[in-house]
Amino acid sequence: MEVSDVVKTLNAFLKGQYMGIHAYEHHIQKLNDPNTKKEFQRIQQDHKHHALKVAERIQNLGGTPVDDEGIIGSIQGYIGHFKIPDTTVGIIESALKGEDYYGIHISEEIVKGDLDLESRQLIEKILDKDREHVIFLKSLVH
């Protein structure tokens, strides 16, 4: 496995982290409930921390980390911003869908192949935290 392939895979994953950070920003802006807003800010901080760790890993491999979600991610985020519901429950459900589908399922597809052991362990740790976010968001809805 080529280091350049690992860097490419990690950068694709990193773009997803930036999409998550921006999505949570849009959700936080729409939330009126201070407790839910605080929890969303905590989850957003987790994503920022994860992005930092992935960027460091890319640098340690000699690569250059991306610093945003890319053009396609930016367009998706812009469009998605208008689809966020106005109710607290609707906002939570929107975040839950994003965290579960994009944050976990799509990310798992992105990192299926080209990762060295250390990178894989980092990504698995991040995905485990994202799974915790899904469980927590589900608890807010039910």
Side-chain angles (χ1 to χ4, degrees):
M1 148 183 1
E2 296 289 324
V3 172
S4 62
D5 292 335
V6 174
V7 168
K8 184 177 177 183
T9 299
L10 289 173
N11 265 325
F13 182 85
L14 183 54
K15 285 180 182 181
Q17 290 299 305
Y18 287 126
M19 285 180 72
I21 291 165
H22 295 140
Y24 274 99
E25 187 61 40
H26 296 308
H27 287 96
I28 289 165
Q29 288 172 3
K30 282 198 129 179
L31 279 167
N32 293 317
D33 176 57
N35 293 326
T36 305
K37 186 176 283 199
K38 184 178 177 185
E39 294 299 337
F40 272 53
Q41 289 166 334
R42 180 186 57 79
I43 293 171
Q44 185 189 41
Q45 286 300 317
D46 285 346
H47 284 289
K48 287 178 179 180
H49 178 73
H50 295 159
L52 179 66
K53 290 294 189 190
V54 174
E56 287 174 356
R57 180 67 189 140
I58 291 167
Q59 290 168 336
N60 291 340
L61 289 168
T64 303
V66 297
D67 57 5
D68 62 27
E69 70 269 24
I71 293 171
I72 293 172
S74 181
I75 292 168
Q76 287 175 333
Y78 179 77
I79 293 168
H81 174 69
F82 296 105
K83 294 181 178 181
I84 298 172
D86 291 323
T87 66
T88 299
V89 171
I91 292 168
I92 294 167
E93 288 173 341
S94 173
L96 176 59
K97 180 181 176 185
E99 189 82 43
D100 191 30
Y101 180 71
Y102 294 106
I104 297 171
H105 296 295
I106 297 298
S107 292
E108 286 174 335
E109 288 300 314
I110 289 170
V111 298
K112 251 187 182 167
D114 297 316
L115 289 181
D116 60 289
L117 181 61
E118 187 175 340
S119 297
R120 175 141 326 271
Q121 289 172 336
L122 171 64
I123 298 303
E124 282 303 322
K125 195 172 176 183
I126 290 170
L127 290 174
D128 285 345
K129 189 68 176 174
D130 289 347
R131 289 180 189 100
E132 289 175 22
H133 294 157
V134 167
I135 291 166
F136 176 75
L137 289 168
K138 282 181 180 177
S139 77
L140 291 179
V141 174
H142 296 96

